[in-house]
Amino acid sequence: MIPYSDFTFFYIIGILLIPSVILGLVGRSSKKYNMFISVIILALIFGVRMGDFSINWKSFISITLFTVFQVLLIKCYHKYRMTKNTASIFVLAVILGILPLVLVKVLPFFDLHVFGFLGVSYITFKAVQIIMETRDGMMKKENIAISELIYFLLFFPTVSSGPIDRWKRFDKDFKTIPTKDAYREMLYKGINSIFLGFFYKFIVAFLLYNKVLMYLPDRTFGNLNFFEGHLMYMYVYSLHLFFDFAGYSCFAIGVSYIMGVKTPQNFNLPFISRNIKDFWNRWHMSLSFWFRDYVYMRFVFWMTKKKWIKNRFVVSYIGYFLLFFLMGIWHGLELHFVVYGLYHALLIICFDKFERWNKKKKIWKDNKWTHALGIIITFHVVCFGFYIFSGTLF
C-alpha cells in the first residue's frame, strides 16, 4: 500500500487516529497508542499489495532486515563511541549505513532487483544522521531505547518520502505531552495541512497531469513545435511536480501533528525564490538541509582542516559539485539525473561569483524591481532544471 495515494489509506488512518485525537484533547499521552497503530500501518504499507490485498513478502522481509541492520549498527557505534572516537571506525559505520541504499540504487542499473522497498532513502538518511551526531558527541550520553529508535526510523507519516526529521527535535516531541490547548492548536494545524494536501495533490496536480500533460503531443524534437512541445511541457511539468510532492508533504506533516509530532515543513513557496540559493532554502528543505549539513559542510570542514586547497572559494565550489552530484544520482543513475545535479551546482557557483562581484560593483541593487526580476529569472532557470530532471530533454 502506497501512503496517501488513495482514499482507502485516509479512511484507515482516520479511524485509527481517533483515539490519538481523544487522548490529545484531554491532555493525556498517546505515544504508546501511536506506536501501536504505527505497527499496523507499517504492516499495510510494506506488507500488503493494494490490488488483491495479498502479502508482499519481499518488501516485508527487506524492511525488517534493513531496520534490524540499521538499529544494530547505530547501537554498536554508540556503545563504541562511549569510550573511543576513532575516525576509521566512524567512516566504516557511515559506509555500512549507506551501503544498502547504494545497492538499491546501483543493482537495478545492472538489471538486478535483489531487494528494495518504499522509503529506503529516507530511513537511511535518518540512520546516518544519528551515527554522525553520535560521532560529534551530541548523543554520547544518550541511551536510546530500541523501540524509540525504530519508531523514529519508521515513523509512518514520513517513512516513504519524508520530510526528514532530526532525532533531537523528534525525540523532544515524542517525550512531551502537549497541554489541551497546545494539542488543539496542533490538531487544527494538522487538519488544515491535510486539506491543503488534498487541494494540492488531488485537485491541482491531478488537473495539471490529466488535463494538460496527458494531452501534449509526443515530446520528440521531430514531432512538435517549440512552444507546445517543449516550453509548455517544461512549465506544466514543474508545477505538477511541486503540487504533487508538496501535497504529499502536507499529508505527512498533517498526520504527524495529529500524532503530536511537529514534523518540519518541506516547502516554503519555492517559486517566489529571488535567487537559486533562496530556492534551495525553500524547495524540499528537509532533504536539501540534510545534504547541506551532512555532506557539504563536513566536506568543506574536512578540506579546510587538511589544507590541501588553500582557496576557500575553490573548496566551497568543489563541495557544491559533490553536493549536487550526489543529490542527482540519489534520484537515479540515468544521465538526466546526473546532468540535473551538475546543472544546479553550476547555478549555485555562478550565483556565488556574481554575488561577490556585485558586493564590489554595486550594480544589482536590492529594491522591489530587482527583487521581482530575480524571482522571474529564478523561476525560469529552475523550471529548465526540472525539464532536465524529467528526462524529456534527452
Side-chain angles (χ1 to χ4, degrees):
M1 179 181 290
I2 301 175
Y4 315 116
S5 61
D6 54 49
F7 289 100
T8 303
F9 184 81
F10 288 97
Y11 294 148
I12 293 172
I13 63 173
I15 293 171
L16 290 176
L17 286 176
I18 290 175
S20 299
V21 173
I22 295 173
L23 288 169
L25 290 175
V26 298
R28 300 283 298 278
S29 173
S30 61
K31 65 180 184 181
K32 290 184 178 179
Y33 175 75
N34 289 337
M35 294 176 74
F36 167 72
I37 64 170
S38 293
V39 175
I40 298 174
I41 298 174
L42 287 169
L44 292 174
I45 293 174
F46 295 107
V48 176
R49 296 187 182 92
M50 277 302 296
D52 54 3
F53 285 94
S54 60
I55 298 177
N56 187 350
W57 287 109
K58 182 178 180 181
S59 178
F60 179 78
I61 293 173
S62 293
I63 183 65
T64 301
L65 293 178
F66 174 80
T67 304
V68 170
F69 171 77
Q70 293 290 3
V71 169
L72 287 175
L73 181 63
I74 291 170
K75 297 297 287 185
C76 288
Y77 182 73
H78 180 268
K79 185 175 181 180
Y80 169 84
R81 180 65 179 85
M82 291 290 290
T83 56
K84 298 179 182 179
N85 189 20
T86 308
S88 58
I89 300 299
F90 164 70
V91 172
L92 177 62
V94 171
I95 291 174
L96 289 175
I98 64 174
L99 181 61
L101 175 60
V102 173
L103 293 176
V104 167
K105 296 292 183 180
V106 172
L107 291 180
F109 192 74
F110 299 98
D111 201 26
L112 295 172
H113 302 271
V114 180
F115 70 99
F117 53 87
L118 194 67
V120 60
S121 297
Y122 295 91
I123 301 171
T124 299
F125 293 149
K126 289 181 180 181
V128 172
Q129 168 207 140
I130 292 178
I131 291 173
M132 288 186 171
E133 291 185 351
T134 301
R135 155 77 172 183
D136 295 341
M138 296 172 62
M139 305 174 65
K140 187 175 180 181
K141 295 181 180 179
E142 291 188 33
N143 185 20
I144 306 173
I146 291 179
S147 59
E148 295 177 10
L149 180 57
I150 294 174
Y151 188 58
F152 170 68
L153 295 177
L154 301 181
F155 187 55
F156 87 82
T158 62
V159 69
S160 60
S161 296
I164 306 170
D165 210 341
R166 304 295 174 96
W167 165 256
K168 287 284 187 179
R169 204 219 58 74
F170 180 88
D171 186 54
K172 182 180 177 181
D173 283 355
F174 176 72
K175 293 178 178 177
T176 301
I177 303 175
T179 63
K180 296 178 184 179
D181 291 337
Y183 184 77
R184 286 194 196 99
E185 185 177 352
M186 291 179 67
L187 180 62
Y188 174 77
K189 290 181 178 179
I191 293 173
N192 274 353
S193 184
I194 291 172
F195 274 103
L196 183 61
F198 276 113
F199 175 69
Y200 278 0
K201 186 174 179 65
F202 293 120
I203 297 179
V204 181
F206 176 85
L207 291 175
L208 285 171
Y209 184 81
N210 290 279
K211 300 300 181 182
V212 183
L213 288 181
M214 290 292 290
Y215 290 94
L216 287 176
D218 179 32
R219 292 174 297 281
T220 57
F221 284 95
N223 299 334
L224 43 83
N225 63 64
F226 177 77
F227 174 76
E228 188 178 25
H230 293 283
L231 205 60
M232 186 176 179
Y233 180 82
M234 180 176 78
Y235 294 121
V236 175
Y237 175 83
S238 299
L239 292 173
H240 171 264
L241 185 66
F242 164 71
F243 282 108
D244 186 71
F245 196 9
Y248 165 86
S249 295
C250 286
F251 292 143
I253 293 167
V255 174
S256 299
Y257 267 66
I258 294 174
M259 297 176 69
V261 175
K262 298 177 182 177
T263 293
Q265 294 293 323
N266 228 6
F267 295 92
N268 180 23
L269 304 175
F271 289 131
I272 65 167
S273 304
R274 65 187 185 275
N275 56 61
I276 195 64
K277 283 187 178 180
D278 187 32
F279 172 78
W280 281 108
N281 286 327
R282 294 170 176 268
W283 176 272
H284 205 346
M285 295 184 292
S286 66
L287 179 69
S288 62
F289 293 167
W290 192 95
F291 273 93
R292 178 198 66 190
D293 295 343
Y294 298 106
V295 177
Y296 173 79
M297 294 300 295
R298 288 173 183 271
F299 171 80
V300 170
F301 175 78
W302 178 69
M303 289 292 288
T304 303
K305 184 179 179 181
K306 293 295 183 179
K307 297 181 180 180
W308 290 340
I309 300 175
K310 294 183 179 180
N311 190 316
R312 61 188 179 93
F313 297 114
V314 173
V315 172
S316 178
Y317 297 157
I318 296 173
Y320 282 135
F321 270 110
L322 175 64
L323 167 67
F324 286 103
F325 174 73
L326 290 176
M327 288 184 69
I329 64 173
W330 168 69
H331 289 96
L333 299 180
E334 291 80 1
L335 176 63
H336 55 278
F337 292 134
V338 176
V339 175
Y340 169 77
L342 297 179
Y343 170 76
H344 272 280
L346 185 62
L347 289 178
I348 287 283
I349 292 171
C350 288
F351 176 75
D352 184 77
K353 284 182 171 292
F354 168 78
E355 197 173 34
R356 288 191 290 112
W357 172 82
N358 190 57
K359 284 182 180 180
K360 298 177 180 179
K361 302 296 183 179
K362 306 292 183 182
I363 301 297
W364 185 278
K365 297 181 180 179
D366 189 14
N367 56 54
K368 63 180 181 180
W369 301 108
T370 56
H371 186 94
L373 183 58
I375 290 174
I376 294 171
I377 294 172
T378 305
F379 175 74
H380 289 301
V381 297
V382 164
C383 286
F384 183 72
F386 287 138
Y387 189 47
I388 297 172
F389 179 85
S390 72
T392 303
L393 185 61
F394 299 96

